[in-house]
Amino acid sequence: MITVDNLVKSFSSRAGSVRALNGVSLEVQAGSVCGVVGPSGAGKSTLARCIALLERPDSGAIRVDGTDLVSLDGSRLRAARRQIGVVPQGDSLLRQRTAAGNIALPLESAGVDGPVRRKRVGELLDLVGLTDKAASYPDQLSGGQRQRVAVARALAANPAVLLADEPTSALDPETTGSVLTVLDRARAELGVTVLVVTHDMAVVRRICDDVAVLEDGKVVEHGKVLDLVSDADSRTAATLLPGLDQGEGLIGTHDRVADVVLVGFAAVGALLPEASNRFGVELAVLGGGLTRLGETPVARFRVGINGERADSALEWISEAGAVVRRTPKGPQGVAA
């Protein structure tokens, strides 16, 4: 587990001191993938660099499996750093080394002998799907392949934590998918805890269990992705779920109108039709749509309901586990 407690980090500039992190606190569960998102200048990369101890925070604690890394120095600090693999932003591979040679670099530095080193490099090339590119140099690889080699290199020393800073920046959607698949495999097959710094919410949608939203050096939202999308007022829901702008002109043609969030295969596929049949109401989808968060389908619909038992249908949908928020349409516009 990674625990960040009240982290503060400032930098000096010509205009004076700039506080990049202002009391940041968050927890990342072991074996999970957490996305750190926010606008440029929010403090995302500074947070990642502090967790990797590439930057020393001014104050606060950074604990990995209960050990406060900020309090360490000397050999204990070096040992702790080996437990954290870092995928830096941008292309970081050495041009004079092959893909295999780049992956082997941390193992060479640690004094790992040849046979063990070659075996580990082979395992990692297989993990990232680049066994056939072992002898290729970086300039012979695509941008996505170079990023996958960088991930393999960061995993070479069997770290407990992997920090990836904007790992999909400037990559096309297909290439982005291949890099994210590798990060997800690292978590699933190696048990690595992954912290991904990104400006792209599609990364969160694809692989993240948790998300922390930074703004002006502060955490303004943090939690499990599936919990946050169930909160209609959360920034995560506003960004990840389909929009509801469609159907505004149809609201007045229905007895009741509500915004409904459905999570999971059973809810998305059957809950609304079952409510319609159970209560004898006409139910129409006015807006919204379906998306996928990891392997979980999630829908947000604006629905219109006509019939005497419209209120009962909405109450039943809510009791069945959906999130229901009635859209104002006269005096009945209250939350279910």
Side-chain angles (χ1 to χ4, degrees), residues 82-86 99-131 134 148-162 182 185-187 189-193:
R82 285 195 289 271
Q83 291 300 303
I84 303 174
V86 178
N102 269 280
I103 296 169
L105 187 59
L107 301 173
E108 293 174 10
S109 299
V112 177
D113 64 35
V116 174
R117 188 170 66 240
R118 286 189 289 274
K119 181 175 183 293
R120 179 63 176 162
V121 169
E123 292 169 347
L124 290 169
L125 283 166
D126 180 62
L127 178 78
V128 302
L130 292 174
T131 300
R148 285 148 64 188
V149 172
V151 173
R153 182 181 61 186
L155 293 169
N158 287 306
V161 175
L162 181 67
V182 166
R185 288 189 69 185
R187 176 266 300 271
E189 298 180 23
L190 304 180
V192 177
T193 303

Side-chain angles (χ1 to χ4, degrees), residues 263-287:
V263 179
F265 289 95
V268 169
L271 203 56
L272 297 185
E274 184 175 348
S276 178
N277 292 332
R278 182 181 291 251
F279 294 94
V281 297
E282 296 180 0
L283 190 152
V285 174
L286 308 181

Side-chain angles (χ1 to χ4, degrees), residues 151-335:
V151 173
R153 182 181 61 186
L155 293 169
N158 287 306
V161 175
L162 181 67
L163 300 179
D165 190 358
E166 297 284 4
T168 62
S169 179
L171 299 180
D172 61 66
E174 182 177 352
T175 305
T176 290
S178 69
V179 174
L180 296 182
T181 296
V182 166
L183 293 175
D184 200 33
R185 288 189 69 185
R187 176 266 300 271
E189 298 180 23
L190 304 180
V192 177
T193 303
V194 182
L195 191 73
V196 183
V197 172
T198 182
H199 68 280
D200 185 0
M201 291 300 284
V203 173
V204 176
R205 184 180 286 111
R206 173 74 182 268
I207 65 167
C208 290
D209 305 297
D210 306 300
V211 63
V213 182
L214 265 63
E215 190 172 285
D216 296 327
K218 297 180 180 180
V219 175
V220 296
E221 190 167 279
H222 176 43
K224 294 192 173 300
V225 173
L226 291 177
D227 290 342
L228 290 173
V229 297
S230 297
D231 179 357
D233 295 322
S234 77
R235 302 182 187 213
T236 302
T239 306
L240 293 183
L241 296 184
L244 294 170
D245 295 337
Q246 319 98 304
E248 291 286 350
L250 299 175
I251 290 178
T253 65
H254 296 275
D255 296 333
R256 296 292 184 269
V257 177
D259 297 339
V260 181
V261 176
L262 307 164
V263 179
F265 289 95
V268 169
L271 203 56
L272 297 185
E274 184 175 348
S276 178
N277 292 332
R278 182 181 291 251
F279 294 94
V281 297
E282 296 180 0
L283 190 152
V285 174
L286 308 181
L290 177 68
T291 189
R292 187 177 290 270
L293 301 178
E295 296 301 317
T296 304
V298 179
R300 177 165 65 174
F301 295 126
R302 176 161 288 164
V303 297
I305 304 180
N306 288 322
E308 293 183 0
R309 303 182 70 191
D311 287 324
S312 297
L314 286 175
E315 290 171 5
W316 181 84
I317 291 169
S318 178
E319 290 170 358
V323 178
V324 177
R325 172 174 283 192
R326 300 195 190 195
T327 299
K329 179 183 174 295
Q332 79 278 12
V334 296

Side-chain angles (χ1 to χ4, degrees), residues 22-66:
N22 190 10
V24 169
S25 296
L26 60 88
E27 287 190 356
V28 182
Q29 295 297 318
S32 68
V33 179
C34 179
V36 178
V37 302
S40 294
K44 306 185 298 297
S45 293
T46 300
L47 176 61
R49 289 179 63 81
C50 284
I51 292 174
L53 290 184
L54 300 174
E55 298 278 359
R56 279 278 186 178
D58 302 335
S59 61
I62 303 165
R63 299 184 184 89
V64 175
D65 294 334

